[in-house]
Amino acid sequence: MSKAYLILADGTVFEGTSIGAEGKTIGETVFTTGMTGYIETLTDPSYFGQIVTQTFPLIGNYGVESGDFESKKSWVRGYIVRELCDKPSNFRCEDGLSAFLKDQNIVGICGIDTRKLTKILREAGVMNGMILSGDESEKLKTENGKLVAENSLLEEIRAYKIEKAVESVQSLCNENDGDFKGQRPLGEGVAENANGGCSEGETSPKIANSSSPAPKFSVVLFDFGAKANIERELEKRGCKVTVVPFDTTAQKVIELNPDGIMLSNGPGDPAENVNIIEEIRKLCESRIPIFGICLGHQMLALARGAKTSKLKYGHRGGNHPVKDLESGRVFITSQNHGYAVESETLPDYAKLSFVNANDNTCEGVTYTDIPAFSVQFHPEACGGPHDTNFLFDKFIEMMR
């Protein structure tokens, strides 16, 4: 295996071993604390534009199973692990992780001190980075026995910016015929079982489960980069889900006469989606029940007059505690976001429902003047935990 290098925008250089594809990639370097669920992480469209660092030291030990994909392809710009397991043990395993990364043309690096990297990102905040391997690694030089990145590389790294993320995800989906998500009812190609909607024992995606109840409700799912398990959770509760692209107008949604509207997760800065936010504002006036998750939560808040801001290093992983302000109960949640709603900017008709137990940031909002609520975390988390998937039941009750 050849050498690979990670260069951060502050000039720090890590030397490791190449995994996946060889070449050069630039992205926003972030870390996720999940011990499992790396397949879901790699196929989550919310990671568009980012180089993802896994803080758990051993990744790949159960291989790759297509039934666990949240979309058909990987969206990360690069991938960083401490140790890659090249001999996975799992009866469902279809391929090794490095082979999957190579097939997806994802440039990766292993064998670096991910603990040190995580500390840098925690102290300085997320920053852009570049992974170099193969012929591209010749662009590094050595000064006084230390690897140094040329100024031209650092300028290129610092200039990178994630823009038009939602639009880009949709465009890339449309380039792939028969995409796992694409422009279709998501039920085609979604594996499901009774265990929280997550596939166990399935080796490939399949068409809607025959044991699913007959549809009782019609739900429009706005696809801003939706994870497949959002639809799984809705379908197993008796919903017929119609997926619409990000640029669908409020009028077209209303003409579909849905019982409810789901605003999905997705990548990027929520505030840049000005047109989407305006259409959400119009949907709020329709009084059709609305449930927003992650990016959908943020854009719903923006549509109602609140503000969002970027977090220092974000919340990513499956062990984030949130407190229900009504009951006082704390739930462990899966999260993946770099922006948050500013609680102090919420209007009088918006009630803060959940807060992060670590930093007290906004994790949920209930609107008292319209039938709508939203959460920053992921109640549909297929890799777990499943503590908060009861929120889908709350949405069902709202549609009755």
Side-chain angles (χ1 to χ4, degrees):
M1 298 176 74
S2 61
K3 288 185 177 181
Y5 304 91
L6 169 67
I7 308 168
L8 297 179
D10 65 358
T12 303
V13 179
F14 292 85
E15 180 178 338
T17 302
S18 173
I19 58 174
E22 289 191 344
K24 180 179 78 172
T25 188
I26 304 174
E28 183 182 66
T29 310
V30 301
F31 65 88
T32 177
T33 58
M35 296 174 66
T36 61
Y38 57 84
I39 300 301
E40 289 85 349
T41 293
L42 286 165
T43 56
D44 180 353
S46 295
Y47 280 107
F48 172 82
Q50 297 177 328
I51 296 175
V52 177
T53 306
Q54 299 274 178
T55 62
F56 190 69
L58 178 63
I59 297 295
N61 56 311
Y62 53 86
V64 174
E65 304 82 30
S66 59
D68 293 343
F69 289 7
E70 289 290 0
S71 64
K72 191 174 182 180
K73 68 186 293 293
S74 179
W75 297 96
V76 303
R77 294 277 294 185
Y79 199 53
I80 304 170
V81 300
R82 175 68 183 88
E83 180 181 352
L84 181 75
C85 177
D86 58 0
K87 294 182 180 179
S89 177
N90 182 354
F91 74 98
R92 298 174 60 231
C93 178
E94 299 168 18
D95 208 345
L97 182 53
S98 186
F100 170 78
L101 294 172
K102 188 173 183 179
D103 180 66
Q104 295 286 312
N105 199 33
I106 303 299
V107 178
I109 184 172
C110 73
I112 72 168
D113 188 344
T114 52
R115 185 178 178 85
K116 178 181 178 181
L117 173 58
T118 301
K119 286 182 176 180
I120 291 173
L121 298 178
R122 279 182 60 92
E123 292 300 317
V126 295
M127 67 176 76
N128 291 347
M130 174 188 289
I131 301 176
L132 295 174
S133 59
D135 294 339
E136 293 288 344
S137 59
E138 296 177 1
K139 296 179 180 180
L140 286 170
K141 57 184 179 180
T142 303
E143 291 183 0
N144 300 321
K146 183 179 179 181
L147 285 169
V148 178
E150 296 179 355
N151 287 333
S152 59
L153 285 179
L154 292 176
E155 290 173 2
E156 188 178 358
I157 293 168
R158 291 164 185 165
Y160 177 80
K161 187 177 181 181
I162 300 174
E163 295 179 307
K164 298 182 178 179
V166 172
E167 180 180 338
S168 298
V169 166
Q170 198 98 100
S171 297
L172 288 169
C173 273
N174 292 341
E175 290 176 5
N176 295 277
D177 292 337
D179 190 89
F180 190 72
K181 295 166 64 282
Q183 302 308 309
R184 59 154 185 79
L186 276 173
E188 298 178 14
V190 176
E192 176 187 0
N193 78 352
N195 185 21
C198 298
S199 151
E200 291 290 344
E202 297 292 340
T203 57
S204 62
K206 64 180 182 180
I207 295 176
N209 194 317
S210 60
S211 63
S212 298
K216 300 176 183 177
F217 305 98
S218 172
V219 175
V220 166
L221 170 58
F222 259 101
D223 183 5
F224 307 131
K227 293 165 65 177
N229 207 44
I230 291 177
E231 193 208 0
R232 294 186 185 114
E233 291 292 341
L234 290 170
E235 284 191 334
K236 75 178 186 179
R237 287 170 172 79
C239 296
K240 177 184 177 183
V241 182
T242 301
V243 183
V244 297
F246 74 98
D247 55 357
T248 304
T249 65
Q251 184 59 39
K252 287 184 178 180
V253 172
I254 293 170
E255 288 173 0
L256 292 172
N257 193 30
D259 298 304
I261 299 168
M262 173 67 71
L263 306 177
S264 83
N265 64 291
D269 181 352
E272 78 170 5
N273 301 296
V274 177
N275 293 335
I276 300 174
I277 293 166
E278 175 59 22
E279 296 306 316
I280 293 175
R281 185 190 65 76
K282 295 176 184 177
L283 287 172
C284 291
E285 296 174 354
S286 73
R287 301 195 63 80
I288 299 171
I290 298 175
F291 180 16
I293 293 176
C294 200
L295 181 67
H297 154 79
Q298 296 164 355
M299 291 197 293
L300 178 58
L302 288 167
R304 309 283 355 251
K307 295 181 180 179
T308 57
S309 58
K310 190 167 186 176
L311 298 172
K312 185 175 182 180
Y313 49 82
H315 300 155
R316 298 176 182 87
N319 58 349
H320 290 267
V322 301
K323 183 178 181 179
D324 182 339
L325 295 181
E326 183 173 343
S327 68
R329 182 175 176 181
V330 173
F331 299 92
I332 303 302
T333 66
S334 173
Q335 301 197 17
N336 172 22
H337 61 102
Y339 293 82
V341 174
E342 297 179 2
S343 301
E344 62 274 14
T345 68
L346 289 171
D348 293 339
Y349 47 78
K351 178 182 176 184
L352 188 65
S353 56
F354 292 92
V355 295
N356 190 289
N358 289 329
D359 60 14
N360 211 40
T361 51
C362 174
E363 292 284 356
V365 178
T366 297
Y367 295 92
T368 57
D369 62 329
I370 59 172
F373 72 102
S374 63
V375 291
Q376 181 63 76
F377 50 89
H378 290 271
E380 85 290 349
C382 199
H386 302 150
D387 296 29
T388 58
N389 59 18
F390 66 86
L391 291 171
F392 285 94
D393 299 320
K394 177 180 177 179
F395 183 46
I396 297 297
E397 288 301 315
M398 188 178 285
M399 291 188 289
R400 290 189 187 279

